[in-house]
């Protein structure tokens, strides 16, 4: 197959894609112009001698996109890219903890109190400035008591970014370790998949079993984000003292790496879970007592 055999279908396709439509016209040089944007839809090209000697003319008029057609093509390419990104996000989301319980986690739905107002402000700021946070490989470490809103705050950040087509995976160390134990390929393959996400959120640091296998994998996951220069958000029920004063080398190398990457943010206050349980208890109690009156 010679050069002309390769070039001919390309030229034919260009002519078809930029054919004359109602409103188009010829300019003073006899070249087709778009009736909308008034830019040329044809271009005169001069072929090299080795191609023209194969029977093709030295000079050819070839179809080219006009300016409005170029914008249409760019828009279609952008939409296609966005579609692919959303498909990738959806696939990542299906693998995460972003279930129905956290699907409505938004900053607008965050129940602000005096104890968590600063945390809410910083979390929102982090999400809004995520591009800069990513450039700096700046992560967050949410620590504090059970039920103080750490997971919900992390989910607010995740949903904010996902709604803006930024890839986020939110999972837990327990779930990740289970996946690794059942994963048929090398662990590096799974970690590589996680690192496709711009932000990795891992819930419940410290809940994993304290085995050499588990702790090694936790370190591998955290360290891979560090080396890839990608941010991570971690939540834990451990106190800052427990994290900073660990003496077991298996833990200290994990926590040291985390403190290199993450800004610690404490969550305090009454447990939202206990408050909700108490509200439901009182609601049911009132309902039953009203039934007795009947």
């Amino acid at each position: 197959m010679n050069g002309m055999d390769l070039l001919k279908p390309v030229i034919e396709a260009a002519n078809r894609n930029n054919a004359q439509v109602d409103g188009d016209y010829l300019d003073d040089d006899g070249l087709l112009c778009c009736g909308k944007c008034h830019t040329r839809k044809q271009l005169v090209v001069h072929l090299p001698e080795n191609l023209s000697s194969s029977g093709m003319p030295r000079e050819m008029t070839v179809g080219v996109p006009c300016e409005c057609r170029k914008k249409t093509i760019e828009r279609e390419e952008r939409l296609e890219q966005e579609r692919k990104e959303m498909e990738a996000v959806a696939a990542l989301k299906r693998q995460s903890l972003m279930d129905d319980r956290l699907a409505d986690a938004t900053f607008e739905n965050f129940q602000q109190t005096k104890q968590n107002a600063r945390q809410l402000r910083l979390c929102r700021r982090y999400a809004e400035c995520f591009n800069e946070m990513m450039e700096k490989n700046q992560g967050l470490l949410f620590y504090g008591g059970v039920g103080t809103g750490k997971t919900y705050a992390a989910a607010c950040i995740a949903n904010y970014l996902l709604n803006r087509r930024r890839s986020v995976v939110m999972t837990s160390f327990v779930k990740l370790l289970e996946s690794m134990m059942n994963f048929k390929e090398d662990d590096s393959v799974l970690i590589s998949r996680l690192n496709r996400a711009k932000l990795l959120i891992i819930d419940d640091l410290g809940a994993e079993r304290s085995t050499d296998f588990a702790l090694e994998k936790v370190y591998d996951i955290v360290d891979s984000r560090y080396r890839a220069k990608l941010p991570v958000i971690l939540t834990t029920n451990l106190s800052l003292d427990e994290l900073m004063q660990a003496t077991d080398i298996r833990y200290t190398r994990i926590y040291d790496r985390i403190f290199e990457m993450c800004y610690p943010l404490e969550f305090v206050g009454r447990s939202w879970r206990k408050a909700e349980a108490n509200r439901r208890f009182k609601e049911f109690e009132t309902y039953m007592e009203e039934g007795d009156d009947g």
Side-chain angles (χ1 to χ4, degrees), residues 87-99 102-103 158-159 162-163 168-170 175:
E87 285 183 353
V89 167
L92 290 170
K93 201 169 183 179
R94 285 193 296 271
Q95 300 171 27
S96 73
L97 288 178
M98 299 302 293
D99 54 20
L102 298 172
N159 284 324
L162 284 168
N163 290 337
V168 180
V169 163
M170 182 171 179
K175 187 175 180 179

PDB file of all heavy atoms in Angstrom, residues 87-99 102-103 158-159 162-163 168-170 175:
ATOM      1  N   GLU A  87     -17.995   7.865  33.975  1.00  0.00           N
ATOM      2  CA  GLU A  87     -18.046   6.408  34.017  1.00  0.00           C
ATOM      3  C   GLU A  87     -16.972   5.880  34.961  1.00  0.00           C
ATOM      4  O   GLU A  87     -17.219   4.939  35.724  1.00  0.00           O
ATOM      5  CB  GLU A  87     -17.853   5.828  32.621  1.00  0.00           C
ATOM      6  CG  GLU A  87     -19.074   5.964  31.721  1.00  0.00           C
ATOM      7  CD  GLU A  87     -18.859   5.316  30.365  1.00  0.00           C
ATOM      8  OE1 GLU A  87     -17.718   4.879  30.097  1.00  0.00           O
ATOM      9  OE2 GLU A  87     -19.824   5.237  29.587  1.00  0.00           O
ATOM     10  N   ALA A  88     -15.794   6.485  34.885  1.00  0.00           N
ATOM     11  CA  ALA A  88     -14.713   6.073  35.771  1.00  0.00           C
ATOM     12  C   ALA A  88     -15.060   6.379  37.225  1.00  0.00           C
ATOM     13  O   ALA A  88     -14.820   5.567  38.129  1.00  0.00           O
ATOM     14  CB  ALA A  88     -13.417   6.775  35.375  1.00  0.00           C
ATOM     15  N   VAL A  89     -15.659   7.561  37.453  1.00  0.00           N
ATOM     16  CA  VAL A  89     -16.072   7.939  38.808  1.00  0.00           C
ATOM     17  C   VAL A  89     -17.129   6.978  39.329  1.00  0.00           C
ATOM     18  O   VAL A  89     -17.075   6.529  40.484  1.00  0.00           O
ATOM     19  CB  VAL A  89     -16.608   9.388  38.822  1.00  0.00           C
ATOM     20  CG1 VAL A  89     -17.321   9.678  40.141  1.00  0.00           C
ATOM     21  CG2 VAL A  89     -15.472  10.365  38.603  1.00  0.00           C
ATOM     22  N   ALA A  90     -18.114   6.644  38.479  1.00  0.00           N
ATOM     23  CA  ALA A  90     -19.175   5.719  38.886  1.00  0.00           C
ATOM     24  C   ALA A  90     -18.602   4.361  39.246  1.00  0.00           C
ATOM     25  O   ALA A  90     -19.023   3.729  40.217  1.00  0.00           O
ATOM     26  CB  ALA A  90     -20.210   5.590  37.767  1.00  0.00           C
ATOM     27  N   ALA A  91     -17.628   3.911  38.460  1.00  0.00           N
ATOM     28  CA  ALA A  91     -16.994   2.622  38.742  1.00  0.00           C
ATOM     29  C   ALA A  91     -16.251   2.673  40.070  1.00  0.00           C
ATOM     30  O   ALA A  91     -16.322   1.744  40.880  1.00  0.00           O
ATOM     31  CB  ALA A  91     -16.042   2.251  37.613  1.00  0.00           C
ATOM     32  N   LEU A  92     -15.549   3.792  40.318  1.00  0.00           N
ATOM     33  CA  LEU A  92     -14.848   3.950  41.585  1.00  0.00           C
ATOM     34  C   LEU A  92     -15.827   4.038  42.747  1.00  0.00           C
ATOM     35  O   LEU A  92     -15.600   3.474  43.815  1.00  0.00           O
ATOM     36  CB  LEU A  92     -13.981   5.210  41.544  1.00  0.00           C
ATOM     37  CG  LEU A  92     -12.754   5.162  40.628  1.00  0.00           C
ATOM     38  CD1 LEU A  92     -12.140   6.536  40.504  1.00  0.00           C
ATOM     39  CD2 LEU A  92     -11.735   4.171  41.147  1.00  0.00           C
ATOM     40  N   LYS A  93     -16.935   4.731  42.516  1.00  0.00           N
ATOM     41  CA  LYS A  93     -17.921   4.919  43.581  1.00  0.00           C
ATOM     42  C   LYS A  93     -18.574   3.603  43.982  1.00  0.00           C
ATOM     43  O   LYS A  93     -18.871   3.363  45.149  1.00  0.00           O
ATOM     44  CB  LYS A  93     -18.988   5.927  43.125  1.00  0.00           C
ATOM     45  CG  LYS A  93     -19.753   6.568  44.273  1.00  0.00           C
ATOM     46  CD  LYS A  93     -20.577   7.726  43.767  1.00  0.00           C
ATOM     47  CE  LYS A  93     -21.300   8.419  44.923  1.00  0.00           C
ATOM     48  NZ  LYS A  93     -22.094   9.572  44.477  1.00  0.00           N
ATOM     49  N   ARG A  94     -18.771   2.729  42.989  1.00  0.00           N
ATOM     50  CA  ARG A  94     -19.373   1.428  43.284  1.00  0.00           C
ATOM     51  C   ARG A  94     -18.466   0.587  44.176  1.00  0.00           C
ATOM     52  O   ARG A  94     -18.934  -0.282  44.899  1.00  0.00           O
ATOM     53  CB  ARG A  94     -19.663   0.675  41.985  1.00  0.00           C
ATOM     54  CG  ARG A  94     -20.874   1.208  41.224  1.00  0.00           C
ATOM     55  CD  ARG A  94     -21.294   0.236  40.148  1.00  0.00           C
ATOM     56  NE  ARG A  94     -20.278   0.063  39.121  1.00  0.00           N
ATOM     57  CZ  ARG A  94     -20.190   0.810  38.029  1.00  0.00           C
ATOM     58  NH1 ARG A  94     -21.056   1.804  37.836  1.00  0.00           N
ATOM     59  NH2 ARG A  94     -19.259   0.591  37.128  1.00  0.00           N
ATOM     60  N   GLN A  95     -17.174   0.852  44.130  1.00  0.00           N
ATOM     61  CA  GLN A  95     -16.221   0.086  44.934  1.00  0.00           C
ATOM     62  C   GLN A  95     -16.009   0.705  46.312  1.00  0.00           C
ATOM     63  O   GLN A  95     -15.248   0.174  47.118  1.00  0.00           O
ATOM     64  CB  GLN A  95     -14.866   0.014  44.203  1.00  0.00           C
ATOM     65  CG  GLN A  95     -14.941  -0.654  42.846  1.00  0.00           C
ATOM     66  CD  GLN A  95     -13.632  -0.506  42.085  1.00  0.00           C
ATOM     67  OE1 GLN A  95     -12.570  -0.379  42.677  1.00  0.00           O
ATOM     68  NE2 GLN A  95     -13.709  -0.510  40.770  1.00  0.00           N
ATOM     69  N   SER A  96     -16.659   1.814  46.566  1.00  0.00           N
ATOM     70  CA  SER A  96     -16.390   2.545  47.796  1.00  0.00           C
ATOM     71  C   SER A  96     -17.502   2.361  48.810  1.00  0.00           C
ATOM     72  O   SER A  96     -18.422   1.573  48.634  1.00  0.00           O
ATOM     73  CB  SER A  96     -16.229   4.039  47.482  1.00  0.00           C
ATOM     74  OG  SER A  96     -17.488   4.606  47.173  1.00  0.00           O
ATOM     75  N   LEU A  97     -17.387   3.120  49.903  1.00  0.00           N
ATOM     76  CA  LEU A  97     -18.425   3.106  50.941  1.00  0.00           C
ATOM     77  C   LEU A  97     -19.488   4.173  50.699  1.00  0.00           C
ATOM     78  O   LEU A  97     -20.284   4.451  51.581  1.00  0.00           O
ATOM     79  CB  LEU A  97     -17.783   3.352  52.317  1.00  0.00           C
ATOM     80  CG  LEU A  97     -16.959   2.212  52.904  1.00  0.00           C
ATOM     81  CD1 LEU A  97     -16.372   2.645  54.236  1.00  0.00           C
ATOM     82  CD2 LEU A  97     -17.805   0.968  53.089  1.00  0.00           C
ATOM     83  N   MET A  98     -19.499   4.749  49.510  1.00  0.00           N
ATOM     84  CA  MET A  98     -20.460   5.808  49.241  1.00  0.00           C
ATOM     85  C   MET A  98     -21.827   5.187  48.967  1.00  0.00           C
ATOM     86  O   MET A  98     -22.373   5.230  47.876  1.00  0.00           O
ATOM     87  CB  MET A  98     -20.002   6.644  48.051  1.00  0.00           C
ATOM     88  CG  MET A  98     -18.662   7.317  48.273  1.00  0.00           C
ATOM     89  SD  MET A  98     -18.650   8.389  49.726  1.00  0.00           S
ATOM     90  CE  MET A  98     -19.783   9.655  49.192  1.00  0.00           C
ATOM     91  N   ASP A  99     -22.407   4.583  50.001  1.00  0.00           N
ATOM     92  CA  ASP A  99     -23.704   3.930  49.871  1.00  0.00           C
ATOM     93  C   ASP A  99     -24.820   4.920  50.181  1.00  0.00           C
ATOM     94  O   ASP A  99     -24.594   6.122  50.315  1.00  0.00           O
ATOM     95  CB  ASP A  99     -23.774   2.707  50.784  1.00  0.00           C
ATOM     96  CG  ASP A  99     -23.441   3.056  52.235  1.00  0.00           C
ATOM     97  OD1 ASP A  99     -23.532   4.251  52.593  1.00  0.00           O
ATOM     98  OD2 ASP A  99     -23.102   2.145  52.996  1.00  0.00           O
ATOM     99  N   LEU A 102     -24.529   7.493  52.993  1.00  0.00           N
ATOM    100  CA  LEU A 102     -23.675   8.663  52.837  1.00  0.00           C
ATOM    101  C   LEU A 102     -23.951   9.441  51.556  1.00  0.00           C
ATOM    102  O   LEU A 102     -23.307  10.448  51.298  1.00  0.00           O
ATOM    103  CB  LEU A 102     -22.199   8.234  52.859  1.00  0.00           C
ATOM    104  CG  LEU A 102     -21.717   7.585  54.156  1.00  0.00           C
ATOM    105  CD1 LEU A 102     -20.308   7.046  53.983  1.00  0.00           C
ATOM    106  CD2 LEU A 102     -21.773   8.562  55.313  1.00  0.00           C
ATOM    107  N   ALA A 103     -24.908   8.972  50.763  1.00  0.00           N
ATOM    108  CA  ALA A 103     -25.172   9.603  49.470  1.00  0.00           C
ATOM    109  C   ALA A 103     -25.629  11.048  49.615  1.00  0.00           C
ATOM    110  O   ALA A 103     -25.384  11.882  48.742  1.00  0.00           O
ATOM    111  CB  ALA A 103     -26.215   8.796  48.698  1.00  0.00           C
ATOM    112  N   ALA A 158     -16.060  14.063  49.833  1.00  0.00           N
ATOM    113  CA  ALA A 158     -16.121  13.125  48.709  1.00  0.00           C
ATOM    114  C   ALA A 158     -17.238  13.495  47.742  1.00  0.00           C
ATOM    115  O   ALA A 158     -17.029  13.572  46.524  1.00  0.00           O
ATOM    116  CB  ALA A 158     -16.322  11.698  49.232  1.00  0.00           C
ATOM    117  N   ASN A 159     -18.437  13.740  48.262  1.00  0.00           N
ATOM    118  CA  ASN A 159     -19.569  14.060  47.395  1.00  0.00           C
ATOM    119  C   ASN A 159     -19.386  15.398  46.691  1.00  0.00           C
ATOM    120  O   ASN A 159     -19.776  15.563  45.533  1.00  0.00           O
ATOM    121  CB  ASN A 159     -20.866  14.058  48.206  1.00  0.00           C
ATOM    122  CG  ASN A 159     -21.340  12.657  48.522  1.00  0.00           C
ATOM    123  OD1 ASN A 159     -21.197  11.741  47.712  1.00  0.00           O
ATOM    124  ND2 ASN A 159     -21.901  12.476  49.707  1.00  0.00           N
ATOM    125  N   LEU A 162     -16.961  14.542  43.873  1.00  0.00           N
ATOM    126  CA  LEU A 162     -17.580  13.656  42.887  1.00  0.00           C
ATOM    127  C   LEU A 162     -18.590  14.405  42.031  1.00  0.00           C
ATOM    128  O   LEU A 162     -18.683  14.182  40.819  1.00  0.00           O
ATOM    129  CB  LEU A 162     -18.257  12.471  43.585  1.00  0.00           C
ATOM    130  CG  LEU A 162     -17.319  11.379  44.099  1.00  0.00           C
ATOM    131  CD1 LEU A 162     -18.071  10.426  45.014  1.00  0.00           C
ATOM    132  CD2 LEU A 162     -16.679  10.616  42.947  1.00  0.00           C
ATOM    133  N   ASN A 163     -19.339  15.301  42.650  1.00  0.00           N
ATOM    134  CA  ASN A 163     -20.311  16.091  41.896  1.00  0.00           C
ATOM    135  C   ASN A 163     -19.645  17.059  40.932  1.00  0.00           C
ATOM    136  O   ASN A 163     -20.310  17.612  40.050  1.00  0.00           O
ATOM    137  CB  ASN A 163     -21.218  16.861  42.860  1.00  0.00           C
ATOM    138  CG  ASN A 163     -22.165  15.948  43.610  1.00  0.00           C
ATOM    139  OD1 ASN A 163     -22.460  14.842  43.157  1.00  0.00           O
ATOM    140  ND2 ASN A 163     -22.642  16.390  44.767  1.00  0.00           N
ATOM    141  N   VAL A 168     -12.914  10.107  43.353  1.00  0.00           N
ATOM    142  CA  VAL A 168     -12.694   9.883  44.785  1.00  0.00           C
ATOM    143  C   VAL A 168     -13.071   8.440  45.103  1.00  0.00           C
ATOM    144  O   VAL A 168     -14.084   7.941  44.623  1.00  0.00           O
ATOM    145  CB  VAL A 168     -13.559  10.829  45.651  1.00  0.00           C
ATOM    146  CG1 VAL A 168     -13.303  10.579  47.129  1.00  0.00           C
ATOM    147  CG2 VAL A 168     -13.297  12.283  45.298  1.00  0.00           C
ATOM    148  N   VAL A 169     -12.263   7.790  45.904  1.00  0.00           N
ATOM    149  CA  VAL A 169     -12.623   6.489  46.463  1.00  0.00           C
ATOM    150  C   VAL A 169     -12.691   6.645  47.972  1.00  0.00           C
ATOM    151  O   VAL A 169     -11.766   7.182  48.587  1.00  0.00           O
ATOM    152  CB  VAL A 169     -11.605   5.401  46.087  1.00  0.00           C
ATOM    153  CG1 VAL A 169     -11.764   4.180  46.992  1.00  0.00           C
ATOM    154  CG2 VAL A 169     -11.789   4.977  44.645  1.00  0.00           C
ATOM    155  N   MET A 170     -13.800   6.204  48.544  1.00  0.00           N
ATOM    156  CA  MET A 170     -13.939   6.207  50.000  1.00  0.00           C
ATOM    157  C   MET A 170     -14.207   4.779  50.446  1.00  0.00           C
ATOM    158  O   MET A 170     -15.156   4.145  49.995  1.00  0.00           O
ATOM    159  CB  MET A 170     -15.075   7.132  50.441  1.00  0.00           C
ATOM    160  CG  MET A 170     -15.215   7.203  51.953  1.00  0.00           C
ATOM    161  SD  MET A 170     -16.385   8.495  52.470  1.00  0.00           S
ATOM    162  CE  MET A 170     -16.316   8.286  54.248  1.00  0.00           C
ATOM    163  N   LYS A 175     -12.220  -3.021  55.006  1.00  0.00           N
ATOM    164  CA  LYS A 175     -12.690  -3.457  53.692  1.00  0.00           C
ATOM    165  C   LYS A 175     -11.530  -3.642  52.720  1.00  0.00           C
ATOM    166  O   LYS A 175     -11.509  -4.602  51.932  1.00  0.00           O
ATOM    167  CB  LYS A 175     -13.687  -2.434  53.136  1.00  0.00           C
ATOM    168  CG  LYS A 175     -14.365  -2.873  51.847  1.00  0.00           C
ATOM    169  CD  LYS A 175     -15.429  -1.871  51.435  1.00  0.00           C
ATOM    170  CE  LYS A 175     -16.116  -2.307  50.138  1.00  0.00           C
ATOM    171  NZ  LYS A 175     -17.166  -1.347  49.730  1.00  0.00           N
TER     172      LYS A 175
END
